[in-house]
Amino acid sequence: MIIVCKASANEEKLNKLIAHLNSLGLETHVSIGVMSTVIGLIGDTSKVDIESLEAWDITEKVKRVSEPFKLANRKFHNEPTVIDINGVKIGDKYFSVMAGPCSVESEEQIIACAKSIKAAGGNILRGGAFKPRTSPYAFRGLKEKGLDLLLTAKKETGLPVVSELMSLEHLDLFSDIDIIQIGARNMQNFELLSELGKCGKPILLKRGLANTIEEWLMSAEYIMASGNPNVILCERGIRTFETTTRNTLDISAVPVLRGLTHLPVIIDPSHATGKATLIHPLAKAGVAVGADGLMIEVHPTPEQALCDGAQSITPQKFAEIMSDVKTLCHIEGRIL
Amino acid sequence: MIIVCKASANEEKLNKLIAHLNSLGLETHVSIGVMSTVIGLIGDTSKVDIESLEAWDITEKVKRVSEPFKLANRKFHNEPTVIDINGVKIGDKYFSVMAGPCSVESEEQIIACAKSIKAAGGNILRGGAFKPRTSPYAFRGLKEKGLDLLLTAKKETGLPVVSELMSLEHLDLFSDIDIIQIGARNMQNFELLSELGKCGKPILLKRGLANTIEEWLMSAEYIMASGNPNVILCERGIRTFETTTRNTLDISAVPVLRGLTHLPVIIDPSHATGKATLIHPLAKAGVAVGADGLMIEVHPTPEQALCDGAQSITPQKFAEIMSDVKTLCHIEGRIL
Amino acid sequence: MIIVCKASANEEKLNKLIAHLNSLGLETHVSIGVMSTVIGLIGDTSKVDIESLEAWDITEKVKRVSEPFKLANRKFHNEPTVIDINGVKIGDKYFSVMAGPCSVESEEQIIACAKSIKAAGGNILRGGAFKPRTSPYAFRGLKEKGLDLLLTAKKETGLPVVSELMSLEHLDLFSDIDIIQIGARNMQNFELLSELGKCGKPILLKRGLANTIEEWLMSAEYIMASGNPNVILCERGIRTFETTTRNTLDISAVPVLRGLTHLPVIIDPSHATGKATLIHPLAKAGVAVGADGLMIEVHPTPEQALCDGAQSITPQKFAEIMSDVKTLCHIEGRIL
Amino acid sequence: MIIVCKASANEEKLNKLIAHLNSLGLETHVSIGVMSTVIGLIGDTSKVDIESLEAWDITEKVKRVSEPFKLANRKFHNEPTVIDINGVKIGDKYFSVMAGPCSVESEEQIIACAKSIKAAGGNILRGGAFKPRTSPYAFRGLKEKGLDLLLTAKKETGLPVVSELMSLEHLDLFSDIDIIQIGARNMQNFELLSELGKCGKPILLKRGLANTIEEWLMSAEYIMASGNPNVILCERGIRTFETTTRNTLDISAVPVLRGLTHLPVIIDPSHATGKATLIHPLAKAGVAVGADGLMIEVHPTPEQALCDGAQSITPQKFAEIMSDVKTLCHIEGRIL
């Protein structure tokens, strides 16, 4: 971390600030320039509050030099993390495809979906029971009953299941769910993240609509700092000015994260674009860019879906996509 | 709502879609053009799922014509809402200034702060007890003890108090808090919003970092639809590419909201900019643009603040700002 | 196009507006609803000024239903455009790789670069002579001499060349340059676009930093409307809040454009990210997503580059990338 | 400027980089930490190319500590610049209101407009002759004839005039125009900026749609570095995800710029919002936040305007706004 001081900083004020920094256990290196004086901080700055240093009247700005995350940081843990979900692995060589309906709607729907996904080569079943909806008047999921139906489909097909948790009050209901999904809107629900750190279950952490990669890793750090190392990151599009797609898939996030963290990273082209016709090309791009998996919305009859119909694809289309995904995984040396 | 159909839509398919729309209780008007056919929907479309209509293969796009919010909509409730907080009013003619430290740190701090705020003319005391922090290693507030100290300051000064609620589990602790604040990161925590609709307390709903004005009003609608009409909207900056300020204050949101809703709207220049030196001019702009109030972070010694020091101003600076705010309120015909 | 009128619109005012619309040669369909009246416009609305319709006091909002671009529109020209550059084709089955230094610096540099690019399988040479630089104090290119050196490299290797034009004053200097590149900052330099429509040369039109896909197609339309159908679109990243990459590559733009236009679309991973380490995975993603080509910055010694060193890759790295690009093109059925 | 080196940087490589930096005339301070080594650069870094330093394989990142602009920098020129336009002053104590139609359409229109603006207290007349339009099919201004009519209105009323220049080819036509406006889309048209530095005329430099404040100041620096110190900055809204307004007015830019530069800053609420109903509150906010002036679109009959009708206000409305602007200027101690 470095502190750029104003030209007006006199020796007395500088010494006071330096004494304060030393009292925080930090070593300081001072470079006096013509227009400004720069103080370099050496030591563990991950707990230093940038804001309070900026409040000193001689401070012009404060810049971090090292990343504020540690447990998620590749510098301290170079080996890629592989997460094992009932035998299905994600990370390093292992590629995984999570698919299923936006929302579990009926036993018939979820079981038909699960079977077709398995047949096409998908290896994890997704299905929403608690649905975050912008409008209070929209369908908000079958809740507990939705989870039950998802578990029925798990029993029927053997596929591990992933579903979104929206509130700690429902945590008990998720005991047999294999992966707990935290949605974009809860990526910085810090109370929720801390508690999830206490259960050992794999957490699928979606990126927030307007969150930087660093903030996303800090949210993973929250879960890890509470004791749970099993975090899967999911890029699902960020909010930009472009309106032809629901969000803008930040595909560069995959190789950027590869450099910064050892955690697995998957891509969700369904939420990223909101359009069924874009899923196929983006799924292929996801494999080619080096992601560790995909999450895709599949629905037997998209035009009857109770939510997100526009971005859902049919099982037939899913099988077609899987054929290309397998070809690309083979080339990339990934095991699916 | 209108549905633009593809040129390829034949009569049979169009009739099937129209029959479906009629089954939802909607009347349809069809205009057949050269390149596309447009179906206009008449009736209550607030519960129609755009996504599922977009999933029909003959649909090119679906556009809303009327707003999806009703209880918050000025069209159905033209009179501005005035919220009374223990005698302090916000909305219509009434202007309110909420001020205090980012975080309650000690009895001495919060009481000194409260007294200076009252003396300067602020009429509501803010103070955080549960703090959402990006880093799990940062100070996260005094929690229950923080609320107790805030209530002590309330007793001492008579100022109503506002504090942020981060999780429903803590709701019981807020029984004597006058206004419950919902932070930007929880603006779309729909489970939380629904529950808050069940308590009658005024809710200060901050705008999410990347949320549109329409989404913000839909979140207000969540609270109102559950039975609580006392919602105060707070613009606190949105996320853009500009980095000299922490966020970008969307000041136009104030007059835009004035046209769309009857709810009061306040501005938080502290979080919008993250910089103490910008609070004064933006507070003045907030009054001039027609906001119903301000929320400002004040700390006796910003450089020792446990959070957000960089954007906190001293009580002396606050008094100076209040002097200008009062002059402008007088000109605007607002009662402070 | 539809016009949503305010509830307050009375019959007299509506009739006046309708008469105005009819005078513009448009047919109108009126749907009277409870909260608002909607006027649907039928006919050629591409020349209708939305702004002036919004200025009528009974208008609440105006929404386009059909695209404002025509010559670039796939609806009117379904066959993909293939552009032939001295025998090198781009579009439909043909994939093209344009590579070379950000800036032409010396004869030795550009010829060495050109040879290694050709050897690796690149088929168009890029090289900047006029460089748009944020700072007036930065190196701004060798200008006329740079173009000369680029043409020397063209003669030496037979590779067609592409270079950026920044001002009409320099147009004469580009007579032997095969493709004229219009940079992101000039995407809406309408005077320039109109003039380029008068030369028959292929134009590589980069997307502006904050331009929507529709605006981008309107800029292509400017060139086409002046008589030049040879436009190649180049996605090079848009500006968002994310700072780990210089820009955010909007990879979804490729399949979105495929649906909207018949023009070829390429991807520039160098400018999109600003980081050499990200080029390889993004180049692969570009092929997989269905782009018609790539533009990549290659420099013999990036750390000595006079501009954009951070995003330049070595010829060795380029050869490695080309090996993967060829494999993927083969799978995709593209001819490189 | 500081360079953060990778942990893998050995002494030999560090020494090579340091030798290179010294060869650029920079002094270096090296701090060796556990995870990374930081090199601080002392001396004039305004001409150092960050990109080429980032291309060194031992470099992790490079951060600027001082601003890259000099002539526009308040640190080197603390007194606010006052620009005198034929007796009308802008900057420091002087407030200016520029108003007029988006586009000059006829002699009758521009003279009527000019007279009503003068009567209401506006002191500079704006009027577009060359109009940048997204669509090639839209009205693009009366061009030379538009400038002539604007000059007729100048003669008639004595008001100085401002008009937009889109291309250097038209520069000669602007000899009697008092202020040359550079539009948002040309903010980084560097060839144009350099040339404008050679004429002594005041330049009104609008902020680009997606440009940072630093980039904006660098564009001012281009003009100043070529010899023209008369630059007026105009904030006109930036592009964000919000769609209720055409752009998002970044009002914080005014006090931010006040800290960074001595140049005058004005606000254009018309382009910022695109909506006539928002001009009044934003104009007031502009004065209160400390801007040096306003630019407002006024048209006798907005619904007949050939461009930007939706954001144009009538002369009556303008007079009403001016009344409030004068009151606020009086309070702020500004001379209008």
Side-chain angles (χ1 to χ4, degrees):
Chain A
M1 192 176 287
I2 61 157
I3 303 174
V4 182
C5 298
K6 290 177 189 158
S8 61
N10 61 25
E11 209 183 320
E12 189 198 331
K13 287 176 172 176
L14 271 174
N15 287 341
K16 212 174 139 196
L17 176 53
I18 289 166
H20 172 67
L21 295 166
N22 292 341
S23 78
L24 297 174
L26 299 164
E27 209 182 310
T28 53
H29 274 221
V30 181
S31 309
I32 298 182
V34 184
M35 293 309 299
S36 59
T37 294
V38 176
I39 305 176
L41 303 186
I42 296 176
D44 178 8
T45 59
S46 69
K47 291 170 196 179
V48 173
D49 187 49
I50 285 188
E51 295 277 319
S52 73
L53 296 180
E54 284 178 341
W56 286 68
D57 69 348
I58 60 167
T59 303
E60 187 171 314
K61 50 194 157 198
V62 180
K63 294 196 177 196
R64 261 193 199 288
V65 157
S66 54
E67 296 88 8
F69 49 91
K70 292 182 144 186
L71 300 170
N73 199 327
R74 184 146 206 169
K75 282 186 188 156
F76 301 94
H77 180 305
N78 191 46
E79 285 305 295
T81 288
V82 175
I83 295 177
D84 189 318
I85 300 125
N86 269 347
V88 174
K89 290 178 182 169
I90 307 183
D92 201 13
K93 310 188 280 296
Y94 302 98
F95 193 89
S96 170
V97 179
M98 308 179 183
C102 171
S103 171
V104 179
E105 295 168 8
S106 69
E107 183 166 338
E108 193 191 351
Q109 173 235 31
I110 191 67
I111 289 184
C113 229
K115 285 183 175 168
S116 63
I117 284 159
K118 189 174 183 181
N123 51 13
I124 297 179
L125 178 65
R126 64 150 287 156
F130 295 90
K131 298 300 307 170
R133 302 302 298 273
T134 307
S135 167
Y137 309 121
F139 171 66
R140 289 157 72 187
L142 295 184
K143 308 195 175 181
E144 187 160 358
K145 171 137 180 65
L147 290 179
D148 286 346
L149 294 176
L150 189 63
L151 292 172
T152 306
K154 172 184 176 178
K155 204 178 293 174
E156 195 81 17
T157 57
L159 291 175
V161 292
V162 53
S163 197
E164 180 169 352
L165 175 76
M166 283 177 65
S167 176
L168 281 175
E169 294 178 335
H170 308 139
L171 187 53
D172 290 347
L173 303 173
F174 281 70
S175 54
D176 294 327
I177 301 298
D178 300 286
I179 306 177
I180 294 179
Q181 176 178 323
I182 297 303
R185 288 169 186 76
N186 276 320
M187 192 205 90
Q188 292 196 314
N189 185 334
F190 302 118
E191 296 284 322
L192 187 59
L193 300 177
S194 293
E195 285 304 312
L196 289 175
K198 295 176 190 159
C199 78
K201 242 182 234 305
I203 307 296
L204 182 82
L205 182 66
K206 290 202 158 191
R207 181 180 185 177
L209 273 81
N211 287 109
T212 61
I213 288 174
E214 186 175 296
E215 288 170 341
W216 190 10
L217 287 171
M218 288 308 287
S219 287
E221 188 86 4
Y222 253 94
I223 298 169
M224 298 172 89
S226 300
N228 185 350
N230 301 307
V231 180
I232 302 162
L233 300 167
C234 177
E235 161 64 31
R236 45 78 73 212
I238 56 173
R239 191 156 271 188
T240 70
F241 59 83
E242 178 57 53
T243 56
T244 55
T245 43
R246 192 197 262 195
N247 299 291
T248 298
L249 179 70
D250 181 8
I251 200 166
S252 313
V254 176
V256 167
L257 283 165
R258 200 62 83 218
L260 293 172
T261 186
H262 49 87
L263 297 172
V265 186
I266 70 168
I267 274 186
D268 174 350
S270 306
H271 284 86
T273 63
K275 289 192 172 168
T277 54
L278 303 178
I279 311 304
H280 196 157
L282 291 178
K284 286 162 64 182
V287 188
V289 90
D292 298 306
L294 296 169
M295 177 170 247
I296 296 177
E297 292 198 356
V298 177
H299 193 286
T301 47
E303 71 272 18
Q304 287 167 25
L306 295 178
C307 77
D308 280 352
Q311 71 194 37
S312 296
I313 55 171
T314 59
Q316 290 71 25
K317 182 69 192 166
F318 179 68
E320 204 184 302
I321 292 174
M322 283 305 292
S323 162
D324 282 352
V325 165
K326 284 174 196 163
T327 304
L328 289 168
C329 276
H330 180 71
I331 289 174
E332 295 291 322
R334 305 297 291 256
I335 300 163
L336 167 60
Chain B
M1 192 176 284
I2 60 158
I3 303 175
V4 183
C5 297
K6 291 178 189 159
S8 60
N10 60 27
E11 209 183 321
E12 187 198 333
K13 285 175 174 176
L14 271 173
N15 287 340
K16 211 174 141 196
L17 176 54
I18 289 166
H20 171 67
L21 295 165
N22 293 341
S23 78
L24 299 173
L26 299 164
E27 209 182 310
T28 53
H29 274 221
V30 181
S31 309
I32 298 181
V34 185
M35 293 308 299
S36 58
T37 294
V38 175
I39 305 176
L41 303 185
I42 293 176
D44 178 7
T45 57
S46 68
K47 291 171 196 178
V48 173
D49 188 50
I50 286 187
E51 295 278 319
S52 73
L53 296 180
E54 285 178 342
W56 285 69
D57 69 349
I58 61 165
T59 303
E60 187 171 312
K61 50 193 158 199
V62 180
K63 295 197 177 196
R64 261 192 199 288
V65 157
S66 54
E67 296 88 8
F69 48 92
K70 292 184 146 185
L71 300 171
N73 198 327
R74 184 148 204 166
K75 281 186 188 155
F76 302 94
H77 180 306
N78 191 46
E79 284 306 295
T81 288
V82 176
I83 294 176
D84 189 319
I85 301 126
N86 271 344
V88 173
K89 290 178 180 166
I90 308 184
D92 200 12
K93 310 187 279 297
Y94 303 97
F95 193 89
S96 170
V97 179
M98 309 179 183
C102 171
S103 172
V104 178
E105 295 168 7
S106 69
E107 182 167 337
E108 193 192 350
Q109 174 236 29
I110 191 68
I111 289 185
C113 229
K115 286 182 174 169
S116 62
I117 284 158
K118 189 176 183 182
N123 52 13
I124 296 179
L125 178 66
R126 62 151 287 155
F130 294 90
K131 300 299 308 170
R133 301 302 298 274
T134 306
S135 166
Y137 309 122
F139 171 66
R140 288 157 71 185
L142 294 183
K143 309 195 175 182
E144 186 160 0
K145 171 136 179 68
L147 290 179
D148 286 346
L149 294 176
L150 189 64
L151 291 172
T152 306
K154 172 184 176 177
K155 204 177 295 173
E156 194 80 19
T157 58
L159 291 174
V161 292
V162 52
S163 197
E164 179 169 352
L165 175 76
M166 283 176 64
S167 175
L168 280 176
E169 293 179 335
H170 309 139
L171 186 53
D172 290 347
L173 303 172
F174 281 69
S175 55
D176 294 326
I177 300 299
D178 301 286
I179 306 177
I180 294 179
Q181 177 180 321
I182 298 304
R185 287 169 186 76
N186 276 319
M187 192 204 91
Q188 291 195 315
N189 184 332
F190 302 117
E191 296 284 322
L192 187 59
L193 299 176
S194 293
E195 285 306 312
L196 289 174
K198 295 176 189 159
C199 78
K201 241 182 236 303
I203 307 295
L204 181 82
L205 182 66
K206 290 202 158 191
R207 180 179 184 178
L209 273 81
N211 288 108
T212 61
I213 288 174
E214 186 175 296
E215 287 170 342
W216 190 10
L217 286 171
M218 289 309 286
S219 287
E221 188 86 4
Y222 253 94
I223 298 169
M224 298 172 89
S226 300
N228 185 350
N230 302 306
V231 179
I232 302 163
L233 300 166
C234 177
E235 161 64 32
R236 44 79 73 211
I238 56 173
R239 191 156 270 191
T240 71
F241 59 82
E242 178 56 53
T243 56
T244 56
T245 43
R246 192 197 262 193
N247 299 292
T248 297
L249 179 69
D250 180 9
I251 200 165
S252 313
V254 177
V256 167
L257 284 165
R258 199 63 83 218
L260 293 172
T261 187
H262 50 86
L263 297 172
V265 186
I266 70 168
I267 274 185
D268 174 350
S270 305
H271 283 86
T273 62
K275 289 193 173 168
T277 54
L278 303 177
I279 311 304
H280 196 157
L282 291 178
K284 286 162 63 183
V287 187
V289 89
D292 298 305
L294 297 169
M295 177 169 247
I296 296 178
E297 292 198 356
V298 177
H299 193 286
T301 48
E303 70 274 17
Q304 287 167 24
L306 295 177
C307 78
D308 280 351
Q311 71 194 36
S312 296
I313 56 171
T314 59
Q316 290 71 27
K317 183 68 191 166
F318 179 67
E320 203 184 303
I321 292 173
M322 282 305 291
S323 163
D324 282 353
V325 165
K326 285 173 196 164
T327 304
L328 288 168
C329 276
H330 180 71
I331 289 173
E332 297 290 325
R334 304 297 290 259
I335 300 164
L336 168 59
Chain C
M1 192 177 284
I2 60 158
I3 303 175
V4 183
C5 297
K6 290 177 190 159
S8 61
N10 61 26
E11 209 182 322
E12 188 198 333
K13 286 175 173 177
L14 271 173
N15 287 341
K16 210 172 140 196
L17 177 53
I18 289 166
H20 172 68
L21 295 166
N22 293 341
S23 78
L24 298 174
L26 299 164
E27 209 183 309
T28 54
H29 274 220
V30 181
S31 309
I32 298 181
V34 186
M35 294 307 301
S36 59
T37 294
V38 175
I39 305 176
L41 303 185
I42 295 176
D44 178 7
T45 58
S46 70
K47 290 170 197 180
V48 173
D49 188 49
I50 286 189
E51 295 276 318
S52 72
L53 296 180
E54 284 177 342
W56 285 69
D57 69 348
I58 61 167
T59 303
E60 187 171 313
K61 50 194 159 198
V62 180
K63 296 195 176 198
R64 262 193 198 287
V65 157
S66 54
E67 296 88 7
F69 48 91
K70 293 183 143 185
L71 300 170
N73 199 327
R74 185 149 204 166
K75 282 185 187 157
F76 302 93
H77 181 305
N78 191 46
E79 285 305 295
T81 288
V82 175
I83 295 176
D84 188 316
I85 300 126
N86 270 347
V88 173
K89 290 178 181 166
I90 307 183
D92 200 12
K93 309 188 280 295
Y94 303 98
F95 193 89
S96 171
V97 179
M98 307 179 184
C102 172
S103 173
V104 178
E105 295 168 8
S106 70
E107 182 166 337
E108 193 192 350
Q109 174 236 29
I110 190 67
I111 289 185
C113 228
K115 286 183 175 168
S116 62
I117 284 159
K118 189 175 182 181
N123 51 12
I124 297 179
L125 177 65
R126 63 151 286 155
F130 294 91
K131 299 299 308 171
R133 300 302 299 274
T134 307
S135 167
Y137 309 121
F139 171 66
R140 289 156 73 184
L142 295 183
K143 309 195 174 182
E144 185 159 359
K145 170 138 179 69
L147 290 179
D148 286 346
L149 295 176
L150 189 64
L151 292 172
T152 306
K154 174 183 176 177
K155 204 177 296 174
E156 194 81 19
T157 57
L159 291 174
V161 292
V162 53
S163 196
E164 180 169 353
L165 175 76
M166 283 176 65
S167 177
L168 281 176
E169 295 179 335
H170 309 139
L171 187 53
D172 290 346
L173 303 173
F174 281 69
S175 55
D176 293 326
I177 301 298
D178 301 285
I179 306 177
I180 294 180
Q181 176 179 324
I182 297 304
R185 287 168 187 77
N186 277 319
M187 191 203 91
Q188 291 195 314
N189 185 334
F190 302 117
E191 297 284 321
L192 187 59
L193 300 176
S194 293
E195 286 304 312
L196 290 174
K198 295 175 191 160
C199 78
K201 240 182 236 303
I203 307 295
L204 182 81
L205 182 65
K206 290 203 158 189
R207 181 179 185 178
L209 273 81
N211 287 109
T212 61
I213 288 174
E214 187 175 295
E215 288 170 341
W216 190 11
L217 286 171
M218 289 308 287
S219 288
E221 188 85 5
Y222 254 93
I223 299 168
M224 299 171 88
S226 301
N228 185 351
N230 301 307
V231 180
I232 302 163
L233 301 167
C234 177
E235 161 65 31
R236 44 78 73 214
I238 56 173
R239 191 156 269 188
T240 70
F241 59 83
E242 178 57 52
T243 56
T244 55
T245 42
R246 192 197 261 193
N247 298 291
T248 297
L249 179 70
D250 181 9
I251 200 165
S252 313
V254 177
V256 167
L257 284 165
R258 200 61 83 218
L260 294 172
T261 187
H262 50 86
L263 297 172
V265 186
I266 70 168
I267 275 185
D268 174 349
S270 305
H271 283 87
T273 63
K275 289 193 173 169
T277 53
L278 303 178
I279 311 304
H280 196 158
L282 291 178
K284 286 162 64 183
V287 187
V289 89
D292 298 306
L294 297 169
M295 177 171 246
I296 297 178
E297 291 198 356
V298 176
H299 193 285
T301 46
E303 71 274 18
Q304 287 166 25
L306 294 178
C307 78
D308 280 352
Q311 71 195 37
S312 296
I313 56 171
T314 60
Q316 291 69 28
K317 183 68 192 168
F318 179 68
E320 203 184 303
I321 292 174
M322 282 305 292
S323 162
D324 282 352
V325 165
K326 285 173 197 164
T327 304
L328 289 168
C329 276
H330 180 72
I331 289 174
E332 297 291 322
R334 306 296 290 256
I335 300 163
L336 169 59
Chain D
M1 192 176 282
I2 62 158
I3 302 174
V4 183
C5 298
K6 291 179 188 158
S8 60
N10 61 25
E11 209 182 321
E12 188 197 333
K13 287 174 173 177
L14 271 173
N15 287 341
K16 211 173 140 197
L17 175 54
I18 289 167
H20 171 68
L21 295 166
N22 292 341
S23 78
L24 299 173
L26 299 164
E27 210 182 308
T28 53
H29 273 221
V30 181
S31 308
I32 299 181
V34 185
M35 294 308 299
S36 58
T37 294
V38 176
I39 305 176
L41 303 185
I42 295 176
D44 178 7
T45 58
S46 69
K47 291 170 197 178
V48 173
D49 188 49
I50 286 188
E51 295 277 318
S52 72
L53 295 180
E54 285 178 342
W56 286 69
D57 69 348
I58 61 167
T59 303
E60 187 171 314
K61 51 195 156 197
V62 180
K63 296 196 176 196
R64 260 194 200 288
V65 157
S66 55
E67 296 89 8
F69 48 91
K70 293 183 144 185
L71 300 171
N73 199 327
R74 185 148 204 166
K75 281 185 188 157
F76 302 94
H77 180 305
N78 192 45
E79 285 305 295
T81 288
V82 175
I83 295 176
D84 189 315
I85 300 125
N86 269 346
V88 173
K89 290 178 180 167
I90 308 183
D92 200 11
K93 309 188 279 297
Y94 302 97
F95 193 89
S96 171
V97 179
M98 308 179 185
C102 172
S103 172
V104 178
E105 295 168 8
S106 68
E107 183 168 334
E108 192 192 351
Q109 173 234 31
I110 191 68
I111 289 185
C113 229
K115 286 183 175 169
S116 62
I117 283 157
K118 190 176 181 179
N123 52 12
I124 297 178
L125 178 66
R126 63 151 286 154
F130 294 91
K131 299 300 308 171
R133 301 302 299 273
T134 307
S135 166
Y137 308 122
F139 172 65
R140 289 156 72 184
L142 295 183
K143 310 196 174 180
E144 187 160 358
K145 171 140 178 66
L147 290 179
D148 286 345
L149 295 176
L150 189 63
L151 292 171
T152 306
K154 174 184 175 178
K155 204 177 296 174
E156 194 81 19
T157 58
L159 292 174
V161 293
V162 53
S163 196
E164 179 169 353
L165 175 76
M166 283 177 65
S167 176
L168 281 176
E169 295 179 334
H170 309 138
L171 186 53
D172 289 346
L173 303 172
F174 281 69
S175 55
D176 293 327
I177 301 297
D178 302 284
I179 307 177
I180 294 179
Q181 176 180 320
I182 297 305
R185 287 170 186 77
N186 276 319
M187 193 204 89
Q188 292 195 314
N189 184 334
F190 302 117
E191 296 284 322
L192 188 58
L193 300 177
S194 293
E195 284 305 311
L196 290 174
K198 295 176 191 161
C199 77
K201 243 182 234 302
I203 307 296
L204 182 82
L205 182 65
K206 291 203 157 190
R207 180 180 185 177
L209 274 81
N211 287 109
T212 61
I213 289 174
E214 186 174 296
E215 288 171 341
W216 191 10
L217 287 171
M218 289 308 286
S219 287
E221 188 84 4
Y222 254 93
I223 298 169
M224 299 172 89
S226 300
N228 185 350
N230 302 306
V231 180
I232 302 163
L233 301 167
C234 178
E235 161 64 32
R236 44 77 74 212
I238 56 173
R239 190 155 269 188
T240 71
F241 58 83
E242 178 57 54
T243 56
T244 56
T245 43
R246 192 198 263 193
N247 298 291
T248 297
L249 179 70
D250 181 8
I251 200 164
S252 312
V254 177
V256 167
L257 284 165
R258 199 64 81 219
L260 294 172
T261 187
H262 49 87
L263 297 171
V265 187
I266 70 168
I267 274 186
D268 174 350
S270 305
H271 283 86
T273 63
K275 288 193 173 167
T277 55
L278 303 178
I279 311 303
H280 196 156
L282 291 179
K284 287 162 64 183
V287 188
V289 89
D292 297 306
L294 296 169
M295 179 170 244
I296 296 179
E297 292 198 356
V298 176
H299 193 286
T301 47
E303 70 273 19
Q304 287 167 24
L306 295 178
C307 77
D308 281 351
Q311 71 195 38
S312 296
I313 56 171
T314 60
Q316 292 70 28
K317 183 68 192 167
F318 179 67
E320 204 184 303
I321 292 174
M322 282 306 291
S323 163
D324 282 353
V325 165
K326 285 173 196 164
T327 304
L328 289 168
C329 277
H330 180 71
I331 289 174
E332 296 291 324
R334 305 297 290 258
I335 299 163
L336 169 60

